[in-house]
Amino acid sequence: MKEFEPLPQPNLLCWLLSQAPSQIQLTHPRGHAGWWVCRQVPHPVAMGGNNGQPHSHTYTSLGEDICFGSVEPPKRPTGRLVMHSMAMFGREFCYAVEAAYVTPVLLSVGLPKGLYSVVWLLSPVLGFLLQPVVGSASDHCRAGWGRRRPYILTLGVLMLLGMALYLNGDAVTSALIVDPKRKLIWAITITMIGVILFDFAADFIDGPIKAYLFDVCSHQDKERGLHYHALFTGFGGALGYLLGAIDWAHLKLGRVLGTEFQVMFFFSALVLTLCFIIHLCSIPEAPLRDVVKDIPPQQAPRDPPLSSDRMYEYGSIEKVKNCYVNPELEMQGEKNKNPAEQTQRIMTIRSLVRALVSMPPHYRCLCISHLFGWTAFLSNMLFFTDFMGQIVYRGDPYSAHNSTEFLIYERGVEVGCWGLCINSVFSSLYSYFQEALVSCIGLKGLYFTGYLLFGLGTGFIGLFPNVYSTLVLCALFGVMSSTLYTVPFNLIAEYHREEQAEQRQQAQGGAPDSSGRGRGLDCATLTCMVQLAQILVGGGLGFLVNMAGSVVVVVITASAVALVGCCFVALFVRYVD
């Protein structure tokens, strides 16, 4: 016989554990009304049912042995985590294709210069406003397929549709419309919609993917999964840039499919579809459901629960099989309240804003540091090929297209694409070694080092532009990229683990959880800092370039922001021991 701490909801626990073969018995020991004693008893088939003792409840355990409290889910095989990471491979591959081809596509359809800001700013503005809403909605999704995967599938389809529109819009309108004016208008419209739709879906999908990983993995597997995410993000970007650098017009596949735009759509659609099928089949999710509604009448507890009238069960299927109950959703619910108070549990814009405003300070500091990092990174990456063409190679993009200056500029842009490829490769390599580095210098050391190396590297490139040194220092871009994709989400996982421990203590004391936040909302809030950084970069750097008359100011700005972020990471971000 073994004694345990007081359980706040014994009747509900009895029902939950009443679904498996072996049996145990909960009894009140004499003189200890607040304690419950647990002992294993023979199966009722063998013993003829309950022994009829007063103050006892017989129920079935979730497995052969009794499981109490929160137990870590089983260790995920490496293959499953690799399958889960394939979504990041496909997403980054398509991102690289967009980076290589979206400007030529927009130029080929004749997009007016005044609409460029609309194309680049509309998607991040929508993402910044709606990303927390979608993240919170996924926290409350009750689809039979799970909470996150329906959103991931929907956003993946939107990514595919966006690519189809912006890579094939001109060809489709040319085949269907004869009038040149109407053809121009429709080609511009379809291409703009495609670019905005793709950026919108690709930016949004990162939050649900991270939340999906956090839901179905133990803390150790979360760290491993994030490293694999960064590893395959780099591989996907490198492959996308390499395929974009091939001259498909002179190859047989290019002649068969029509243009290089159709070739890249073929590869992008194939890679994205296969990667997302593998990702969605990687780790099963159990749906979020109201367990109390599923209690048969003859098995429902007669006494009302002590601290909650509803209990929600969610997690991976393997968690339930291995006696694991997710503490975040283990005891959600409220006491019996009037209908007006219960309605407040429904997610609304007001409750979402309240949850964001009441976010703990360490979450807010992490979001600010993430904003610094992405602002510096995007400032450099979005203008890097132009910097290589104008500053490093001293070409002129505004001269005649058959002039020497313009050809030199194009050569610089091509070399800049190889620099971005180096960035992706080193991002993967650094992600591979991060797991060993974190045991030596910790998350704080990784975070600080990533920002510091990027800030010093971009500053050196801006002050001393040279072809070979610039290509070598592109490796530091990969260090920053890997840092941004892993360390902040590792910290989110640490914060969640710490909060779960606190929630278990509160549950034992009968205190309800009133945070109103879930993993999806936290991941989405962190991810929407990327959209805010895009807004700042798109709205501010063009003004700086016009003021300075040179794109060197972009690289210097990226260096300055990264070094400021380096100080912020060291002084204000909270790290869990």
Side-chain angles (χ1 to χ4, degrees), residues 178-196:
V178 179
D179 182 40
K181 276 191 173 182
R182 290 183 60 221
K183 186 180 82 169
L184 177 63
I185 294 173
W186 277 103
I188 292 174
T189 303
I190 291 175
T191 304
M192 286 181 61
I193 292 174
V195 172
I196 293 170

Side-chain angles (χ1 to χ4, degrees), residues 28-193:
H28 281 299
R30 293 180 181 177
H32 296 82
W35 286 76
W36 289 82
V37 177
C38 174
R39 63 188 178 90
Q40 193 165 4
V41 297
H43 199 278
V45 174
M47 296 297 294
N50 200 337
N51 57 11
Q53 290 182 1
H55 303 292
S56 68
H57 305 273
T58 303
Y59 60 90
T60 310
S61 69
L62 286 170
E64 293 183 358
D65 298 321
I66 175 78
C67 299
F68 279 104
S70 174
V71 181
E72 281 286 285
K75 180 181 176 63
R76 300 294 176 191
T78 300
R80 291 286 179 177
L81 296 178
V82 169
M83 290 172 64
H84 194 280
S85 304
M86 293 306 295
M88 302 303 293
F89 180 93
R91 171 179 175 261
E92 200 65 21
F93 178 90
C94 295
Y95 256 144
V97 170
E98 186 200 31
Y101 282 96
V102 71
T103 300
V105 167
L106 294 175
L107 291 174
S108 67
V109 299
L111 182 71
K113 290 184 178 181
L115 294 179
Y116 272 82
S117 59
V118 176
V119 173
W120 296 120
L121 288 178
L122 184 58
S123 175
V125 168
L126 290 175
F128 178 71
L129 295 176
L130 298 179
Q131 183 114 280
V133 178
V134 173
S136 181
S138 72
D139 282 332
H140 298 80
C141 177
R142 291 173 179 259
W145 203 25
R147 285 195 295 178
R148 317 298 180 188
R149 289 190 291 179
Y151 285 88
I152 295 172
L153 177 62
T154 302
L155 293 169
V157 172
L158 291 180
M159 285 178 63
L160 190 61
L161 178 61
M163 283 191 304
L165 291 178
Y166 84 77
L167 287 173
N168 300 300
D170 190 31
V172 172
T173 53
S174 298
L176 298 179
I177 301 174
V178 179
D179 182 40
K181 276 191 173 182
R182 290 183 60 221
K183 186 180 82 169
L184 177 63
I185 294 173
W186 277 103
I188 292 174
T189 303
I190 291 175
T191 304
M192 286 181 61
I193 292 174

Side-chain angles (χ1 to χ4, degrees), residues 364-425:
R364 194 174 295 114
C365 289
L366 181 61
C367 288
I368 294 173
S369 69
H370 205 51
L371 176 62
F372 276 123
W374 274 105
T375 302
F377 187 70
L378 292 176
S379 299
N380 184 69
M381 300 301 289
L382 294 180
F383 290 86
F384 181 72
T385 54
D386 188 49
F387 171 81
M388 287 290 291
Q390 288 197 60
I391 305 303
V392 178
Y393 273 79
R394 302 184 184 279
D396 185 5
Y398 303 106
S399 61
H401 285 195
N402 58 353
S403 65
T404 304
E405 291 80 5
F406 185 81
L407 295 177
I408 292 175
Y409 172 80
E410 282 195 327
R411 175 59 181 164
V413 171
E414 291 176 3
V415 175
C417 290
W418 285 106
L420 295 178
C421 184
I422 292 172
N423 152 63
S424 298
V425 171

Side-chain angles (χ1 to χ4, degrees), residues 280-356:
L280 294 172
C281 297
S282 60
I283 304 175
E285 282 186 292
L288 177 67
R289 60 189 180 90
D290 191 342
V291 176
V292 174
K293 289 182 179 179
D294 298 334
I295 301 178
Q298 65 273 18
Q299 292 183 343
R302 287 172 293 182
D303 300 326
L306 299 180
S307 64
S308 177
D309 65 342
R310 302 174 80 80
M311 174 173 164
Y312 298 94
E313 175 187 347
Y314 175 77
S316 69
I317 292 173
E318 285 83 353
K319 286 182 182 177
V320 179
K321 289 179 181 178
N322 290 273
C323 310
Y324 173 78
V325 179
N326 190 338
E328 179 191 357
L329 295 150
E330 183 182 54
M331 287 295 178
Q332 283 188 9
E334 295 182 1
K335 298 180 180 180
N336 293 329
K337 296 181 179 180
N338 59 55
E341 291 174 329
Q342 291 179 350
T343 305
Q344 292 179 358
R345 294 291 295 177
I346 301 173
M347 179 53 61
T348 63
I349 297 296
R350 178 183 295 180
S351 61
L352 174 62
V353 172
R354 186 166 56 247
L356 291 174

Side-chain angles (χ1 to χ4, degrees), residues 220-301:
Q220 290 76 16
D221 285 339
K222 290 174 191 176
E223 293 181 344
R224 294 171 58 218
L226 288 172
H227 290 309
Y228 284 123
H229 278 198
L231 181 69
F232 282 92
T233 294
F235 284 154
L239 182 60
Y241 287 124
L242 286 175
L243 289 180
I246 298 175
D247 187 4
W248 295 103
H250 295 86
L251 298 179
K252 184 176 181 180
L253 185 61
R255 291 193 294 269
V256 170
L257 294 178
T259 67
E260 57 183 352
F261 297 153
Q262 278 73 57
V263 173
M264 293 312 300
F265 173 72
F266 170 75
F267 282 116
S268 300
L270 180 64
V271 169
L272 187 68
T273 302
L274 290 177
C275 287
F276 272 82
I277 289 175
I278 295 171
H279 169 77
L280 294 172
C281 297
S282 60
I283 304 175
E285 282 186 292
L288 177 67
R289 60 189 180 90
D290 191 342
V291 176
V292 174
K293 289 182 179 179
D294 298 334
I295 301 178
Q298 65 273 18
Q299 292 183 343

